[in-house]
Amino acid sequence: MTDGPTGDDRVVVALDVGGTGMKCALVRPDGSVLHAERHPTDAGRGPDAVVETVLAVAEGLADRARAAGSTPVACGVAVPGVVDEAAGVAVWSANVGFRDVPLRTLVGARLGLPAALGHDVRVGGIAEARLGAGRDARHVLFVAIGTGIAAAHVVAGSAAVGAHGAAGEIGHILVRPDGPRCGCGRPGCLEAVSSASAVARRYAELAGSAASAADVAGRAAAGEELAGRVWREAVEALADGLATGQALYDVDTMVIGGGLARAGGQLLDPLRAALRERMTFHREPRLVAAALGDEAGCLGAALLALDSLERR
Amino acid sequence: MTDGPTGDDRVVVALDVGGTGMKCALVRPDGSVLHAERHPTDAGRGPDAVVETVLAVAEGLADRARAAGSTPVACGVAVPGVVDEAAGVAVWSANVGFRDVPLRTLVGARLGLPAALGHDVRVGGIAEARLGAGRDARHVLFVAIGTGIAAAHVVAGSAAVGAHGAAGEIGHILVRPDGPRCGCGRPGCLEAVSSASAVARRYAELAGSAASAADVAGRAAAGEELAGRVWREAVEALADGLATGQALYDVDTMVIGGGLARAGGQLLDPLRAALRERMTFHREPRLVAAALGDEAGCLGAALLALDSLERR
């Protein structure tokens, strides 16, 4: 750590910028939250307007920290899509509208603070691994299951980024060669079978009426046969995907987050059983629900910023 | 590096212990080989006899180094199966007959030198990544395709080991849910479709006569329809497996080694094309043949031993 403010008065400005909203906070070095606020992203306004909102919110948070007697020491920002963390550039974030936005430089310049840019799922994984459901494990796979499916492989508190900022794309591994076509263009991706949107789509296809993944989970629990079948198909494919993740990564703990994980035991219990069936010579990982909810990304952005301070 | 011999006279004693034979060498710190020799493993004699041969061969190599005016500074040993590198224990090596053998301690005690124990494919990957076909890349996936299929994910010269010494088991990821049963007990593993033994088995099944994978490759190249079909099936499944590897690891370069890679362009050219088809939003990795042949494991054992010296 470089010279500068130490002790309890240091805080990090952290923002998790999603397609719909931004989760923002002032986070202390120990991961506790001094203040949190949320703002709409309003991505329809275009990337320049979104960037301006990010900068204004970050600046407002830094001012608020100072007003409260704290010292902002860094700023961390998380965005979805493809993120070049080394360069600090949001390469491509479809649902936010970013394309090659040098967010780290922009934020750093506006705040006059060191800044870090991270990928939302990767920093969420860092937060779950250090502060959340994976905090006792050294090798963690965080899997976020929502509209899409993505993962972060976190070892000793650091997430693997890959050669091009694209590691952990577990949503786009083949699980059903004869399965539905994925948004990415290939058939049978995990995301095309087991994401919340895939579950809803499959149910609508078979039932002829619309239902959310949460509805399907509820109807399956209530004993509706069709919903039960759709849910089982999704769980089986998910177990195949996690088994592949375990074969390649060999982790202690898998932390399941995202919207679909809100089904709790109804997802995790059959998923754990199906994963166990698939472990022939591998050690079975501990399978647990995420602990930090939708604040994981914001906390992780703060941790990434703190890490970047330590490396300066 | 600790105090001690420096410069050109230092060598590492390195052994790669396989089911059939042991590749052994004296390796200089720059990776060049001072002397190489091979011995039969004769695994049928039982694990104690194999361990004694390993120790005697290692001792002989250290003596030979001293006689040649070199200074042996460490010993590296590679074995197949499940290896606990941190503890230095060969946990389970089916084709060598090892079960919970503390090889690192045994070798270190016999030679009076620091020793390191590694997994054959992982250290092979380290060697290919640092000295072989991946030497210009930071993120490398080494995939060995022979009787089985296994991989090593090497970043900045270090191979990922996993939480239980079992990372990189790409042979046991699901690629064909309706495919043949794998030796591990599960249906449709990559190894059950695309390994050299799977290619030979599939051809024998369809043709009603035995042929090695190399035979199948040769007959496919000569235009035999059935052989061509078996080869294409194997290549397609392999491309699915590598695409999954790229989705999870995101590497610059994939290095293909093992017996099946001796088919050269006949494997790599269609494999590269099939992999390219599968890259929808990921960057396509460079796909190259391994450069070090069956010496990769021995060289990698030497590198692992050198690394362990640096960490002392």
Side-chain angles (χ1 to χ4, degrees), chain A residues 17-78:
Chain A
V17 182
T20 312
M22 304 182 191
K23 292 119 194 167
C24 314
L26 293 170
V27 182
R28 297 189 190 91
D30 66 0
S32 65
V33 173
L34 175 67
H35 163 78
E37 58 188 53
R38 298 193 174 209
H39 300 269
T41 300
D42 239 339
R45 298 174 299 149
D48 291 350
V50 174
V51 168
E52 184 47 42
T53 302
V54 167
L55 299 178
V57 168
E59 205 171 19
L61 281 165
D63 289 345
R64 172 185 269 268
R66 289 188 195 95
S70 295
T71 308
V73 291
C75 179
V77 179

Side-chain angles (χ1 to χ4, degrees), chain A residues 104-144:
Chain A
R104 187 179 64 202
T105 302
L106 294 172
V107 170
R110 176 74 73 101
L111 269 63
L113 290 176
L117 180 71
H119 178 263
D120 58 352
V121 175
R122 278 201 293 270
V123 300
I126 290 174
E128 285 289 349
R130 293 201 214 162
L131 306 171
R135 66 187 171 281
D136 300 322
R138 183 177 163 84
H139 296 258
V140 174
L141 189 67
F142 171 63
V143 184

Side-chain angles (χ1 to χ4, degrees), chain B residues 85-171:
Chain B
E85 298 192 0
V89 174
V91 177
W92 184 68
S93 304
N95 52 357
V96 183
F98 291 163
R99 186 170 277 278
D100 292 322
V101 177
L103 257 185
R104 187 179 63 200
T105 303
L106 294 171
V107 169
R110 178 72 75 97
L111 268 62
L113 291 176
L117 181 70
H119 178 263
D120 58 351
V121 174
R122 279 200 291 270
V123 300
I126 290 174
E128 285 289 350
R130 292 202 215 161
L131 307 171
R135 68 188 169 281
D136 300 323
R138 184 178 162 83
H139 296 257
V140 173
L141 189 69
F142 172 62
V143 184
I145 311 170
T147 310
I149 300 182
H153 180 217
V154 185
V155 177
S158 289
V161 169
H164 318 94
E169 289 284 5
I170 201 169

Side-chain angles (χ1 to χ4, degrees), chain A residues 163-164 166 168-169 247-250, chain B residues 163-164 166 168-169 247-250 252:
Chain A
H164 318 94
E169 288 284 6
L248 294 189
Y249 293 133
D250 180 23
Chain B
H164 318 94
E169 289 284 5
L248 294 189
Y249 293 132
D250 181 21
D252 302 306

